[in-house]
Amino acid sequence: MNAIFAYLFIFAGLTLLFKNPELFLSTVLNGAQKSATLCLALLTSYALWLGLVSVWEKCGINEKIAKFFKPFLRKLFKTDDDASLTAISMNLSVNLLGIGGAATPYGIKAAQLLDKTENAEYSSALLFVINATSVQLLPTAIVGVRASLGALNPSDIIFPSLLSTIFSTALGVILIKAVFAIKEKRSAKNPAPRPAFIQKTKAGVR
């Protein structure tokens, strides 16, 4: 992906350089200035919320959040592993604040822990889908981008974003449950054959 963007930038830069050399330098500098402004806006937004998350962890609020979410997540992810549920709870709570980058470490930790549980395939797939559908209540990163670009009302996307994330997340969860329900029915109708040495052992016992 980095190579593709690099080729596109080189091609666009050379095209502009040959067609309008006077405009090339001003365009590059203007783009660099906007990029720096955007990065600064995102940096301040992430610093604020990451600092809040750090305070949560030191004050034990993350444990209370995990305790609040655990009964629901236990049924949704079909696991009783407390460590996995705690990591999922933190991943979702940070995602709800709209800072997906900060939620990534919790998501990775949750995925590693879920791989060791009984329903690893189902729970890992569900975790991936929920993160991919970008479940969030406050799209703080997007609001920060809109503010840095001079939007008159940067927060006016909160309600539409909330509706879209509810729809996409609910649809993703429904599809995951439907797919795994079909897989369970197929595996029940066509059980996997037992290894030959087990069949021979049973035959010898008889």
Side-chain angles (χ1 to χ4, degrees):
M1 185 62 69
N2 290 335
I4 293 176
F5 281 114
Y7 292 142
L8 289 176
F9 175 78
I10 293 172
F11 175 76
L14 290 176
T15 302
L16 182 62
L17 182 61
F18 284 108
K19 292 189 67 175
N20 195 343
E22 296 81 7
L23 188 61
F24 174 77
L25 184 59
S26 61
T27 301
V28 171
L29 293 178
N30 187 37
Q33 182 180 1
K34 289 182 178 179
S35 299
T37 303
L38 175 60
C39 290
L40 183 61
L42 290 177
L43 177 63
T44 54
S45 176
Y46 270 72
L48 171 64
W49 293 111
L50 285 173
L52 181 60
V53 171
S54 178
V55 172
W56 285 359
E57 292 180 348
K58 293 180 179 179
C59 295
I61 297 178
N62 60 332
E63 297 178 0
K64 295 180 179 179
I65 293 175
K67 186 177 180 180
F68 175 79
F69 279 116
K70 274 182 182 180
F72 169 71
L73 296 177
R74 184 175 287 108
K75 295 180 180 179
L76 182 63
F77 284 87
K78 298 180 181 180
T79 180
D80 291 323
D81 185 64
D82 285 336
S84 299
L85 293 173
T86 300
I88 295 171
S89 298
M90 290 306 300
N91 172 258
L92 293 181
S93 62
V94 176
N95 262 323
L96 289 174
L97 296 175
I99 44 178
T104 301
Y106 294 111
I108 294 174
K109 182 179 179 180
Q112 292 173 343
L113 293 171
L114 288 173
D115 282 340
K116 304 174 184 178
T117 59
E118 183 178 356
N119 299 308
E121 185 180 6
Y122 165 79
S123 54
S124 297
L126 185 60
L127 178 66
F128 175 81
V129 167
I130 290 177
N131 278 270
T133 54
S134 186
V135 53
Q136 53 185 260
L137 294 177
L138 297 174
T140 53
I142 303 301
V143 171
V145 171
R146 286 169 55 84
S148 68
L149 295 177
L152 296 178
N153 189 4
S155 61
D156 60 1
I157 63 165
I158 291 179
F159 183 67
S161 175
L162 180 60
L163 291 180
S164 63
T165 193
I166 290 174
F167 175 77
S168 61
T169 303
L171 180 61
V173 172
I174 291 172
L175 290 176
I176 284 290
K177 287 187 171 293
V179 168
F180 277 87
I182 294 172
K183 290 183 67 175
E184 288 178 1
K185 289 182 179 179
R186 288 182 178 178
S187 61
K189 291 181 180 179
N190 302 310
R194 295 181 177 179
F197 73 90
I198 294 180
Q199 295 177 0
K200 289 180 181 180
T201 304
K202 289 192 172 183
V205 170
R206 290 179 184 175

